[in-house]
Amino acid sequence: MKFGKVIGRVVSTQKVESLEGLRFLLVQPMNEKLEPSGNAIVAVDTLQVSIGEIIYFETSKEASRVIEHTMNPCDAAIMGIVDDIEITERK
Amino acid sequence: MKFGKVIGRVVSTQKVESLEGLRFLLVQPMNEKLEPSGNAIVAVDTLQVSIGEIIYFETSKEASRVIEHTMNPCDAAIMGIVDDIEITERK
Amino acid sequence: MKFGKVIGRVVSTQKVESLEGLRFLLVQPMNEKLEPSGNAIVAVDTLQVSIGEIIYFETSKEASRVIEHTMNPCDAAIMGIVDDIEITERK
Amino acid sequence: MKFGKVIGRVVSTQKVESLEGLRFLLVQPMNEKLEPSGNAIVAVDTLQVSIGEIIYFETSKEASRVIEHTMNPCDAAIMGIVDDIEITERK
Amino acid sequence: MKFGKVIGRVVSTQKVESLEGLRFLLVQPMNEKLEPSGNAIVAVDTLQVSIGEIIYFETSKEASRVIEHTMNPCDAAIMGIVDDIEITERK
């Protein structure tokens, strides 16, 4: 899982049936120092995360398991909200 | 999921059986500012998307779920058409 | 799926059982302008593609579905031969 | 699998149900010379690894198999603690 | 699948149960000219490959199918030993 910041929302009316009713947020991936890293992605949100929050997300197959209808196609999902990152050892 | 723009079409007569009858579009991946990012890919389209439209697509296993015949091999599919991207927080 | 050109063949006598009898080609990945992009990979071929042909291939789990014995481990497969790439919209 | 060093911990109260009760560590990926390589990731730990230890981890689907409740979504998990890396051949 | 050279061994006593009894080799990924490309990875070996041999390996889900106990988590496995790479067409 990687860190990210929710920076916006994606509006889409016409989509594949299995994505109907889901909320799509725009997530900026970040490194462990919470600096932006790479392009923003579109992730499914089932936690009602607010814009601006620091979250961790998953990509790949696992992401689809967040969604109740398991056959939903989905390759990115928000997994949790970060309360704190404790870095106690240097690389 | 990532953003992309449909920039063309791929014609292929000889292919593996499970891909017969599917429509293949050429998709240029884009970042959240809709600037091109990386090489174009070949994605399956089940939404009858027009050339020039901004879409979001998936790669990896999930993509194959868009196709009714679930055993179809497919690692990239168009998931929806983007109406709007609202960026309300800066990175 | 990505574009590639078949540039050679890989000979391997000693391999895991599930790969016995399969044909392995050396594929140079290409972008949509058919310029080389990245390192060549080893892909399974079930279409009897000739050396020099432009094809599209898949990587990741989906690739294994091309092979009849579905339990075959395989993370790259040739999916079809490209007849034409029509680019009608610029990035 | 890749090498990494456990450099910290991630605290998260609000998360998807399937991640409840799991321990999340911050892992700095490393190359075979144990030099840092890329951004730190968040990995599930089922081995009670200590901060500072050198481990190997997996990403992608396989990671979720470490967790008993197989439907847990998880795309990164610590697989073992490295006792020794013996490099006997140069690249 | 990609080419690699076996450059060493990884010793690990404490690991997740599903990896018990497996042999882990250190593999340096290589391009088709057999030049090193990227960081070494840890791959499962079921072919009793010798140190120094040129092999092809897989990453991602497919790798786990090499192992008899199919629920083993494993994201990299050696699939075969390379006898010859015939490059007959230039990129």
Side-chain angles (χ1 to χ4, degrees):
Chain A
M1 294 179 291
K2 291 173 179 170
F3 298 113
K5 186 181 188 173
V6 180
I7 63 166
R9 213 165 62 93
V10 178
V11 185
S12 168
T13 315
Q14 215 175 325
K15 51 193 153 190
V16 300
E17 208 182 306
S18 56
L19 291 181
E20 295 292 344
L22 293 176
R23 188 184 186 219
F24 296 114
L25 295 181
L26 195 60
V27 172
Q28 170 60 47
M30 297 183 142
N31 65 17
E32 75 276 14
K33 296 172 202 155
L34 302 181
E35 299 158 344
S37 169
N39 289 338
I41 60 152
V42 185
V44 168
D45 170 39
T46 59
L47 290 170
Q48 303 302 315
V49 177
S50 307
I51 306 291
E53 270 183 299
I54 304 299
I55 53 91
Y56 49 97
F57 67 96
E58 289 195 336
T59 52
S60 90
K61 185 183 151 63
E62 287 59 45
S64 59
R65 296 191 178 140
V66 174
I67 308 171
E68 278 167 46
H69 181 273
T70 62
M71 280 303 104
N72 263 326
C74 173
D75 71 354
I78 294 176
M79 304 306 286
I81 297 171
V82 173
D83 297 329
D84 195 15
I85 303 173
E86 302 174 0
I87 305 184
T88 47
E89 181 91 8
R90 270 332 302 155
K91 307 181 189 183
Chain B
M1 294 180 290
K2 291 174 180 169
F3 297 113
K5 185 179 187 175
V6 180
I7 63 167
R9 214 166 61 93
V10 178
V11 185
S12 168
T13 315
Q14 215 175 326
K15 50 193 154 190
V16 300
E17 207 182 306
S18 56
L19 291 182
E20 294 292 345
L22 292 177
R23 189 184 186 219
F24 296 113
L25 295 182
L26 195 60
V27 172
Q28 170 61 47
M30 296 183 143
N31 65 16
E32 74 278 12
K33 296 172 202 154
L34 303 181
E35 299 159 345
S37 168
N39 289 338
I41 60 150
V42 185
V44 168
D45 170 39
T46 59
L47 290 170
Q48 303 302 316
V49 177
S50 307
I51 306 291
E53 269 183 301
I54 304 299
I55 53 89
Y56 49 97
F57 67 95
E58 290 195 336
T59 52
S60 89
K61 184 183 153 62
E62 286 59 45
S64 59
R65 296 192 178 141
V66 174
I67 308 171
E68 278 167 47
H69 181 273
T70 62
M71 280 302 104
N72 262 326
C74 173
D75 72 354
I78 294 176
M79 304 306 286
I81 296 170
V82 173
D83 297 328
D84 195 16
I85 303 173
E86 303 173 0
I87 305 185
T88 47
E89 182 91 8
R90 270 331 303 154
K91 306 183 189 183
Chain C
M1 294 178 293
K2 291 174 180 170
F3 298 114
K5 185 180 187 174
V6 180
I7 63 167
R9 213 165 62 94
V10 179
V11 185
S12 168
T13 315
Q14 214 174 326
K15 50 192 154 189
V16 300
E17 206 182 307
S18 55
L19 291 181
E20 294 293 345
L22 292 177
R23 188 183 186 221
F24 296 114
L25 296 181
L26 194 60
V27 172
Q28 170 59 47
M30 296 183 142
N31 66 16
E32 73 278 11
K33 297 172 203 154
L34 302 180
E35 299 158 346
S37 168
N39 289 338
I41 61 151
V42 185
V44 168
D45 170 39
T46 59
L47 290 170
Q48 303 301 318
V49 177
S50 308
I51 306 291
E53 268 183 301
I54 304 299
I55 52 91
Y56 49 98
F57 67 96
E58 290 196 335
T59 51
S60 88
K61 185 184 153 59
E62 285 60 46
S64 58
R65 296 192 177 139
V66 175
I67 307 171
E68 277 166 50
H69 181 272
T70 62
M71 281 302 105
N72 263 324
C74 172
D75 72 354
I78 293 176
M79 304 305 287
I81 296 170
V82 173
D83 297 328
D84 195 15
I85 303 174
E86 303 174 0
I87 305 185
T88 48
E89 181 90 8
R90 269 333 302 154
K91 306 183 189 184
Chain D
M1 294 179 292
K2 292 173 180 170
F3 298 113
K5 185 181 188 174
V6 179
I7 62 166
R9 212 166 63 93
V10 178
V11 185
S12 167
T13 316
Q14 216 175 323
K15 51 193 154 190
V16 300
E17 208 182 307
S18 57
L19 291 181
E20 295 292 345
L22 293 177
R23 187 183 188 221
F24 296 114
L25 295 182
L26 196 60
V27 172
Q28 170 60 47
M30 296 183 142
N31 64 18
E32 74 276 15
K33 296 171 202 154
L34 301 181
E35 299 158 343
S37 168
N39 289 337
I41 60 151
V42 185
V44 168
D45 170 38
T46 60
L47 290 171
Q48 303 303 316
V49 177
S50 307
I51 306 291
E53 268 182 301
I54 304 299
I55 53 91
Y56 49 98
F57 67 96
E58 290 196 335
T59 52
S60 89
K61 185 184 152 65
E62 286 60 45
S64 58
R65 296 193 178 138
V66 174
I67 308 171
E68 278 167 48
H69 181 272
T70 61
M71 281 302 106
N72 262 325
C74 173
D75 71 353
I78 293 175
M79 304 306 287
I81 297 171
V82 174
D83 297 329
D84 195 15
I85 302 173
E86 303 174 359
I87 305 185
T88 48
E89 181 92 5
R90 267 333 302 155
K91 307 182 189 184
Chain E
M1 294 179 292
K2 292 173 179 168
F3 297 113
K5 184 180 187 173
V6 179
I7 63 167
R9 212 164 64 93
V10 178
V11 184
S12 168
T13 315
Q14 215 174 326
K15 51 193 153 189
V16 300
E17 208 182 306
S18 56
L19 291 181
E20 295 292 345
L22 293 177
R23 186 182 188 222
F24 297 114
L25 295 182
L26 195 61
V27 172
Q28 170 60 48
M30 296 183 143
N31 65 16
E32 74 277 13
K33 296 172 202 154
L34 303 181
E35 299 158 344
S37 168
N39 289 337
I41 61 153
V42 185
V44 168
D45 170 39
T46 60
L47 290 170
Q48 303 303 317
V49 177
S50 307
I51 305 291
E53 268 182 300
I54 304 299
I55 53 91
Y56 49 98
F57 67 96
E58 290 196 335
T59 51
S60 89
K61 185 184 152 63
E62 286 60 46
S64 59
R65 297 193 177 137
V66 175
I67 308 170
E68 277 167 49
H69 180 273
T70 61
M71 281 300 107
N72 262 325
C74 174
D75 72 353
I78 293 176
M79 304 305 287
I81 296 171
V82 173
D83 297 328
D84 195 15
I85 303 174
E86 303 173 359
I87 305 185
T88 47
E89 181 91 7
R90 268 332 302 153
K91 306 183 190 187

